[in-house]
């Protein structure tokens, strides 16, 4: 076998022959040969030669772009096995995931997961967790904010202590998808459940733990005709306590939530495909994970704020709204009590907020209308 020949050449320090074999290998095998060469150069004490090969992987485009993340992770694994901790620390401290040779954001993202897997394999749990956190953080950070055409976000809620506190504190509370009424929202968590039944790896458990820290806030948008969702009777029935609750209309500035070292969040519009998605596959994109629902839910016309604080795992994540005038209008359900209406209105005394109440249209009983109060 070629790999056996490589090892024999390294033992005899025949590096010119070794390099010729690697140079003439096809693109698929170059990664394998480089990693085996590095492993064995370190094993047999040819440290400088090993680092020469490492430099070729790290700082040149000698490998195909899609091969580099796994090759670089393999390099780190070899250095760990060789107990060259200082060199590993140096590479990681310099931000190995941002190497220019990786070229694309997607490839720089993939290497984080490859590194996390290597660290878990080598028993370095803290580093594995750290790089899983980086992976999940960047997964969200790479996404662009997407806003409704009219810039308006509508939140349907029952009147509860948490709803009132958000209004008083000028905040919104994000929750875990496990609290959603759709049992397969979001799809990635259903995939985790299936993987658990099939016997997940230790690394799979580390990765899942970090992914489960993601929190989501759900809003509705106006439809393609520009009709606000307050006229949608299903939304009131399903999300506002059968008209006993409220609908809050927000207008957020584009940069309402700034990224920080541990926190990142993005707005994204939900899609409702007719076709199914295979949740047994090995990888998923961001939209499949968190912005895809069954077509039966299309009436929601949903837009979400998806965020993570990598240092927090509570079921609910409260975020202060930095702008004082995000709430434009509050709509009260048809069955909302007069006492509750007055209590909510008092929260916004002196502020430029409009108040409306929902009614059924006497001329078309199956449609809603509003009146200002």
């Amino acid at each position: 076998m070629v790999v056996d020949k490589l090892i024999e050449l390294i033992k005899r320090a025949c590096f010119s022959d070794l390099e010729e074999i690697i140079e003439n290998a096809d693109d698929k095998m170059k990664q394998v040969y480089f990693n085996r060469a590095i492993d064995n150069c370190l094993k047999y004490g040819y440290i400088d030669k090993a680092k020469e090969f490492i430099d070729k992987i790290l700082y040149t485009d000698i490998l195909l772009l899609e091969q580099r993340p796994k090759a670089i992770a393999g390099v780190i694994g070899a250095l760990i096995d060789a107990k060259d901790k200082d060199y590993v620390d140096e590479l990681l401290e310099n931000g190995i995931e941002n190497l220019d040779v990786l070229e694309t954001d997607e490839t720089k993202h993939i290497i984080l997961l490859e590194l996390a897997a290597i660290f878990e394999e080598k028993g370095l749990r803290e580093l594995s967790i750290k790089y899983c956190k980086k992976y999940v953080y960047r997964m969200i950070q790479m996404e662009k904010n997407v806003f409704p055409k009219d810039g308006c976000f509508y939140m349907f809620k029952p009147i509860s202590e948490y709803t009132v506190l958000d209004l008083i504190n000028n905040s919104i509370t994000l929750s875990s998808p496990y609290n959603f009424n759709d049992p397969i929202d979001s799809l990635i968590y259903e995939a985790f459940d299936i993987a658990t039944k099939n016997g997940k790896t230790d690394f799979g458990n580390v990765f899942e733990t970090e992914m489960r820290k993601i929190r989501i806030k759900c809003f509705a948008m106006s439809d393609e005709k520009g009709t606000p969702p307050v006229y949608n009777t299903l939304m009131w029935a399903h999300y506002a306590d059968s008209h006993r609750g409220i609908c809050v209309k927000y207008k957020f500035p584009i940069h309402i939530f700034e990224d920080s070292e541990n926190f990142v969040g993005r707005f994204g519009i939900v899609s409702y495909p007719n076709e199914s998605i295979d949740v047994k596959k090995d990888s998923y994109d961001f939209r499949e994970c968190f912005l895809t629902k069954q077509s039966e839910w299309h009436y929601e016309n949903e837009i979400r704020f998806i965020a993570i604080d990598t240092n927090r795992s509570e079921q609910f994540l409260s975020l202060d709204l930095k702008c004082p005038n995000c709430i434009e209008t509050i709509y009260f359900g048809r069955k909302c009590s007069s006492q509750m209406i007055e209590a909510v209105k008092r929260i916004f005394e002196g502020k430029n907020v409009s108040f409306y109440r929902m009614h059924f249209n006497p001329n078309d009983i199956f449609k809603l209308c509003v009146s200002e109060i």
Side-chain angles (χ1 to χ4, degrees), residues 301-360:
N301 209 25
E302 186 178 344
I303 185 167
R304 295 178 162 182
F305 185 66
I306 302 168
I308 189 170
D309 185 325
T310 58
N311 286 340
R312 297 177 60 181
S313 56
E314 301 95 317
Q315 286 291 304
F316 299 96
L317 179 62
S318 181
L319 303 177
D320 293 332
L321 299 175
K322 303 302 182 183
C323 64
N325 302 310
C326 287
I327 295 177
E328 287 196 343
T329 307
I330 294 182
Y331 300 86
F332 296 96
R334 180 174 179 269
K335 296 180 181 178
C336 191
S337 70
S338 299
Q339 295 91 331
M340 190 57 66
I341 291 173
E342 290 306 313
V344 171
K345 288 177 72 174
R346 282 196 296 272
I347 295 172
F348 295 95
E349 282 181 347
K351 297 181 180 179
N352 189 25
V353 176
S354 301
F355 301 97
Y356 291 85
R357 187 165 191 175
M358 306 307 299
H359 302 279
F360 286 104

Side-chain angles (χ1 to χ4, degrees), residues 201-294:
T201 63
D202 288 340
F203 173 65
N205 292 327
V206 173
F207 176 58
E208 179 181 350
T209 296
E210 296 309 313
M211 287 287 282
R212 288 191 188 277
K213 292 179 182 177
I214 288 176
R215 298 293 176 259
I216 297 174
K217 186 66 176 180
C218 304
F219 302 90
M221 304 181 296
S222 298
D223 64 20
E224 292 181 357
K225 297 178 181 179
T227 305
V230 292
Y231 296 102
N232 187 324
T233 55
L234 288 176
M235 295 299 290
W236 284 101
H238 291 169
Y239 297 104
D241 195 17
S242 298
H243 271 277
R244 286 181 285 271
I246 62 174
C247 175
V248 183
K249 177 184 175 184
Y250 296 90
K251 267 205 172 179
F252 298 124
I254 291 178
H255 300 295
I256 179 68
F257 300 111
E258 297 288 347
D259 299 348
S260 64
E261 183 179 358
N262 298 311
F263 174 84
V264 63
R266 294 291 184 268
F267 288 100
I269 295 175
V270 174
S271 60
Y272 308 93
N274 290 316
E275 65 277 6
S276 183
I277 291 177
D278 179 11
V279 294
K280 295 181 181 179
K281 59 185 180 178
D282 294 330
S283 62
Y284 307 81
D285 63 32
F286 181 79
R287 290 202 57 83
E288 287 176 328
C289 286
F290 303 107
L291 292 169
T292 303
K293 296 183 69 171
Q294 292 171 284

Side-chain angles (χ1 to χ4, degrees), residues 94 121 281 366:
N94 290 334
E121 179 188 321
K281 59 185 180 178
F366 292 130

Side-chain angles (χ1 to χ4, degrees), residues 37-83:
I38 292 166
D39 283 347
N40 286 280
C41 282
L42 290 168
K43 178 179 178 180
Y44 293 107
Y46 298 109
I47 306 302
D48 290 341
K49 201 64 188 179
K51 290 184 177 180
E52 187 181 312
F53 286 130
I54 288 170
D55 284 346
K56 285 186 177 181
I57 290 180
L58 294 183
Y59 305 114
T60 72
D61 58 359
I62 200 164
L63 292 177
L64 293 175
L65 185 59
E66 62 268 21
Q67 292 178 333
R68 285 173 215 158
K70 192 173 287 293
I72 292 171
V75 164
I76 296 295
L79 290 169
I80 292 169
D81 289 340
K83 297 182 171 51

